[in-house]
PDB file of all heavy atoms in Angstrom:
ATOM      1  N   ARG L 117       1.927   1.172   0.785  1.00 61.00           N
ATOM      2  CA  ARG L 117       2.829   2.305   0.847  1.00 61.00           C
ATOM      3  C   ARG L 117       3.473   2.577  -0.503  1.00 61.00           C
ATOM      4  O   ARG L 117       3.630   3.734  -0.899  1.00 61.00           O
ATOM      5  CB  ARG L 117       3.914   2.040   1.866  1.00 61.00           C
ATOM      6  CG  ARG L 117       3.795   2.915   3.004  1.00 61.00           C
ATOM      7  CD  ARG L 117       4.899   2.677   3.934  1.00 61.00           C
ATOM      8  NE  ARG L 117       4.544   3.421   5.093  1.00 61.00           N
ATOM      9  CZ  ARG L 117       5.333   3.819   5.984  1.00 61.00           C
ATOM     10  NH1 ARG L 117       6.574   3.469   5.939  1.00 61.00           N
ATOM     11  NH2 ARG L 117       4.934   4.542   6.964  1.00 61.00           N
ATOM     12  N   SER L 118       3.882   1.556  -1.187  1.00 66.00           N
ATOM     13  CA  SER L 118       4.521   1.728  -2.489  1.00 66.00           C
ATOM     14  C   SER L 118       3.541   2.308  -3.507  1.00 66.00           C
ATOM     15  O   SER L 118       3.911   3.077  -4.379  1.00 66.00           O
ATOM     16  CB  SER L 118       5.113   0.417  -2.982  1.00 66.00           C
ATOM     17  OG  SER L 118       4.098  -0.518  -3.209  1.00 66.00           O
ATOM     18  N   LEU L 119       2.269   1.991  -3.381  1.00 65.00           N
ATOM     19  CA  LEU L 119       1.253   2.539  -4.285  1.00 65.00           C
ATOM     20  C   LEU L 119       1.074   4.031  -4.027  1.00 65.00           C
ATOM     21  O   LEU L 119       1.014   4.824  -4.967  1.00 65.00           O
ATOM     22  CB  LEU L 119      -0.075   1.794  -4.087  1.00 65.00           C
ATOM     23  CG  LEU L 119      -1.206   2.245  -5.006  1.00 65.00           C
ATOM     24  CD1 LEU L 119      -0.851   2.020  -6.463  1.00 65.00           C
ATOM     25  CD2 LEU L 119      -2.476   1.521  -4.653  1.00 65.00           C
ATOM     26  N   SER L 120       1.045   4.445  -2.765  1.00 67.00           N
ATOM     27  CA  SER L 120       0.903   5.871  -2.471  1.00 67.00           C
ATOM     28  C   SER L 120       2.164   6.641  -2.884  1.00 67.00           C
ATOM     29  O   SER L 120       2.095   7.777  -3.349  1.00 67.00           O
ATOM     30  CB  SER L 120       0.593   6.085  -0.984  1.00 67.00           C
ATOM     31  OG  SER L 120       1.669   5.627  -0.197  1.00 67.00           O
ATOM     32  N   PHE L 121       3.322   5.998  -2.749  1.00 62.00           N
ATOM     33  CA  PHE L 121       4.577   6.622  -3.174  1.00 62.00           C
ATOM     34  C   PHE L 121       4.571   6.813  -4.688  1.00 62.00           C
ATOM     35  O   PHE L 121       4.988   7.847  -5.218  1.00 62.00           O
ATOM     36  CB  PHE L 121       5.770   5.776  -2.722  1.00 62.00           C
ATOM     37  CG  PHE L 121       7.073   6.351  -3.130  1.00 62.00           C
ATOM     38  CD1 PHE L 121       7.562   7.512  -2.551  1.00 62.00           C
ATOM     39  CD2 PHE L 121       7.834   5.747  -4.129  1.00 62.00           C
ATOM     40  CE1 PHE L 121       8.772   8.053  -2.939  1.00 62.00           C
ATOM     41  CE2 PHE L 121       9.036   6.288  -4.528  1.00 62.00           C
ATOM     42  CZ  PHE L 121       9.513   7.448  -3.930  1.00 62.00           C
ATOM     43  N   LEU L 122       4.095   5.807  -5.413  1.00 63.00           N
ATOM     44  CA  LEU L 122       4.012   5.873  -6.852  1.00 63.00           C
ATOM     45  C   LEU L 122       3.052   6.976  -7.303  1.00 63.00           C
ATOM     46  O   LEU L 122       3.349   7.718  -8.231  1.00 63.00           O
ATOM     47  CB  LEU L 122       3.571   4.515  -7.398  1.00 63.00           C
ATOM     48  CG  LEU L 122       3.482   4.393  -8.918  1.00 63.00           C
ATOM     49  CD1 LEU L 122       4.836   4.590  -9.559  1.00 63.00           C
ATOM     50  CD2 LEU L 122       2.911   3.038  -9.287  1.00 63.00           C
ATOM     51  N   ILE L 123       1.929   7.097  -6.634  1.00 69.00           N
ATOM     52  CA  ILE L 123       0.947   8.159  -6.978  1.00 69.00           C
ATOM     53  C   ILE L 123       1.531   9.535  -6.703  1.00 69.00           C
ATOM     54  O   ILE L 123       1.382  10.457  -7.489  1.00 69.00           O
ATOM     55  CB  ILE L 123      -0.376   7.931  -6.205  1.00 69.00           C
ATOM     56  CG1 ILE L 123      -1.063   6.662  -6.707  1.00 69.00           C
ATOM     57  CG2 ILE L 123      -1.292   9.135  -6.342  1.00 69.00           C
ATOM     58  CD1 ILE L 123      -2.278   6.247  -5.930  1.00 69.00           C
ATOM     59  N   LEU L 124       2.236   9.679  -5.564  1.00 61.00           N
ATOM     60  CA  LEU L 124       2.864  10.954  -5.232  1.00 61.00           C
ATOM     61  C   LEU L 124       3.940  11.328  -6.261  1.00 61.00           C
ATOM     62  O   LEU L 124       4.006  12.467  -6.724  1.00 61.00           O
ATOM     63  CB  LEU L 124       3.467  10.874  -3.824  1.00 61.00           C
ATOM     64  CG  LEU L 124       4.186  12.143  -3.360  1.00 61.00           C
ATOM     65  CD1 LEU L 124       3.214  13.308  -3.264  1.00 61.00           C
ATOM     66  CD2 LEU L 124       4.866  11.900  -2.038  1.00 61.00           C
ATOM     67  N   ALA L 125       4.750  10.362  -6.657  1.00 65.00           N
ATOM     68  CA  ALA L 125       5.789  10.618  -7.649  1.00 65.00           C
ATOM     69  C   ALA L 125       5.174  11.004  -8.988  1.00 65.00           C
ATOM     70  O   ALA L 125       5.656  11.912  -9.673  1.00 65.00           O
ATOM     71  CB  ALA L 125       6.692   9.386  -7.798  1.00 65.00           C
ATOM     72  N   LEU L 126       4.133  10.336  -9.376  1.00 61.00           N
ATOM     73  CA  LEU L 126       3.448  10.625 -10.631  1.00 61.00           C
ATOM     74  C   LEU L 126       2.838  12.028 -10.582  1.00 61.00           C
ATOM     75  O   LEU L 126       2.924  12.791 -11.555  1.00 61.00           O
ATOM     76  CB  LEU L 126       2.375   9.565 -10.895  1.00 61.00           C
ATOM     77  CG  LEU L 126       1.637   9.679 -12.219  1.00 61.00           C
ATOM     78  CD1 LEU L 126       2.605   9.561 -13.380  1.00 61.00           C
ATOM     79  CD2 LEU L 126       0.569   8.608 -12.313  1.00 61.00           C
ATOM     80  N   ALA L 127       2.227  12.395  -9.474  1.00 64.00           N
ATOM     81  CA  ALA L 127       1.621  13.719  -9.354  1.00 64.00           C
ATOM     82  C   ALA L 127       2.685  14.812  -9.432  1.00 64.00           C
ATOM     83  O   ALA L 127       2.480  15.844 -10.067  1.00 64.00           O
ATOM     84  CB  ALA L 127       0.865  13.815  -8.026  1.00 64.00           C
ATOM     85  N   LEU L 128       3.828  14.603  -8.787  1.00 61.00           N
ATOM     86  CA  LEU L 128       4.915  15.593  -8.845  1.00 61.00           C
ATOM     87  C   LEU L 128       5.473  15.736 -10.247  1.00 61.00           C
ATOM     88  O   LEU L 128       5.757  16.839 -10.698  1.00 61.00           O
ATOM     89  CB  LEU L 128       6.019  15.228  -7.857  1.00 61.00           C
ATOM     90  CG  LEU L 128       5.694  15.443  -6.389  1.00 61.00           C
ATOM     91  CD1 LEU L 128       6.824  14.922  -5.516  1.00 61.00           C
ATOM     92  CD2 LEU L 128       5.437  16.908  -6.122  1.00 61.00           C
ATOM     93  N   SER L 129       5.640  14.626 -10.953  1.00 65.00           N
ATOM     94  CA  SER L 129       6.196  14.700 -12.310  1.00 65.00           C
ATOM     95  C   SER L 129       5.238  15.400 -13.264  1.00 65.00           C
ATOM     96  O   SER L 129       5.647  16.165 -14.116  1.00 65.00           O
ATOM     97  CB  SER L 129       6.582  13.320 -12.808  1.00 65.00           C
ATOM     98  OG  SER L 129       5.432  12.514 -12.953  1.00 65.00           O
ATOM     99  N   VAL L 130       3.933  15.139 -13.109  1.00 58.00           N
ATOM    100  CA  VAL L 130       2.926  15.807 -13.948  1.00 58.00           C
ATOM    101  C   VAL L 130       2.913  17.295 -13.656  1.00 58.00           C
ATOM    102  O   VAL L 130       2.837  18.136 -14.547  1.00 58.00           O
ATOM    103  CB  VAL L 130       1.532  15.176 -13.753  1.00 58.00           C
ATOM    104  CG1 VAL L 130       0.453  16.027 -14.406  1.00 58.00           C
ATOM    105  CG2 VAL L 130       1.513  13.769 -14.319  1.00 58.00           C
ATOM    106  N   SER L 131       3.029  17.644 -12.389  1.00 58.00           N
ATOM    107  CA  SER L 131       3.058  19.048 -11.989  1.00 58.00           C
ATOM    108  C   SER L 131       4.274  19.746 -12.571  1.00 58.00           C
ATOM    109  O   SER L 131       4.193  20.877 -13.065  1.00 58.00           O
ATOM    110  CB  SER L 131       3.043  19.156 -10.465  1.00 58.00           C
ATOM    111  OG  SER L 131       3.267  20.480 -10.070  1.00 58.00           O
ATOM    112  N   SER L 132       5.426  19.102 -12.515  1.00 55.00           N
ATOM    113  CA  SER L 132       6.651  19.680 -13.083  1.00 55.00           C
ATOM    114  C   SER L 132       6.532  19.859 -14.577  1.00 55.00           C
ATOM    115  O   SER L 132       6.929  20.877 -15.132  1.00 55.00           O
ATOM    116  CB  SER L 132       7.855  18.794 -12.777  1.00 55.00           C
ATOM    117  OG  SER L 132       8.018  18.649 -11.398  1.00 55.00           O
ATOM    118  N   PHE L 133       6.008  18.859 -15.262  1.00 54.00           N
ATOM    119  CA  PHE L 133       5.842  18.928 -16.699  1.00 54.00           C
ATOM    120  C   PHE L 133       4.879  20.055 -17.083  1.00 54.00           C
ATOM    121  O   PHE L 133       5.125  20.784 -18.036  1.00 54.00           O
ATOM    122  CB  PHE L 133       5.344  17.595 -17.247  1.00 54.00           C
ATOM    123  CG  PHE L 133       5.168  17.598 -18.739  1.00 54.00           C
ATOM    124  CD1 PHE L 133       6.278  17.554 -19.570  1.00 54.00           C
ATOM    125  CD2 PHE L 133       3.905  17.657 -19.295  1.00 54.00           C
ATOM    126  CE1 PHE L 133       6.111  17.588 -20.940  1.00 54.00           C
ATOM    127  CE2 PHE L 133       3.739  17.679 -20.660  1.00 54.00           C
ATOM    128  CZ  PHE L 133       4.856  17.633 -21.488  1.00 54.00           C
ATOM    129  N   ALA L 134       3.793  20.210 -16.342  1.00 52.00           N
ATOM    130  CA  ALA L 134       2.823  21.260 -16.627  1.00 52.00           C
ATOM    131  C   ALA L 134       3.469  22.637 -16.441  1.00 52.00           C
ATOM    132  O   ALA L 134       3.222  23.561 -17.212  1.00 52.00           O
ATOM    133  CB  ALA L 134       1.606  21.116 -15.733  1.00 52.00           C
ATOM    134  N   HIS L 135       4.316  22.777 -15.427  1.00 53.00           N
ATOM    135  CA  HIS L 135       4.998  24.041 -15.187  1.00 53.00           C
ATOM    136  C   HIS L 135       5.963  24.359 -16.326  1.00 53.00           C
ATOM    137  O   HIS L 135       6.023  25.502 -16.799  1.00 53.00           O
ATOM    138  CB  HIS L 135       5.747  23.983 -13.855  1.00 53.00           C
ATOM    139  CG  HIS L 135       6.491  25.227 -13.541  1.00 53.00           C
ATOM    140  ND1 HIS L 135       5.863  26.427 -13.286  1.00 53.00           N
ATOM    141  CD2 HIS L 135       7.819  25.480 -13.491  1.00 53.00           C
ATOM    142  CE1 HIS L 135       6.762  27.358 -13.072  1.00 53.00           C
ATOM    143  NE2 HIS L 135       7.968  26.806 -13.196  1.00 53.00           N
ATOM    144  N   LEU L 136       6.703  23.377 -16.813  1.00 51.00           N
ATOM    145  CA  LEU L 136       7.618  23.592 -17.913  1.00 51.00           C
ATOM    146  C   LEU L 136       6.863  23.917 -19.204  1.00 51.00           C
ATOM    147  O   LEU L 136       7.288  24.771 -19.986  1.00 51.00           O
ATOM    148  CB  LEU L 136       8.495  22.354 -18.143  1.00 51.00           C
ATOM    149  CG  LEU L 136       9.616  22.130 -17.142  1.00 51.00           C
ATOM    150  CD1 LEU L 136      10.306  20.806 -17.414  1.00 51.00           C
ATOM    151  CD2 LEU L 136      10.622  23.267 -17.198  1.00 51.00           C
TER     152      LEU L 136
END
Side-chain angles (χ1 to χ4, degrees):
R117 248 183 190 202
S118 64
L119 182 61
S120 63
F121 180 70
L122 183 62
I123 292 173
L124 179 63
L126 184 61
L128 288 175
S129 65
V130 169
S131 171
S132 301
F133 180 74
H135 179 66
L136 285 175

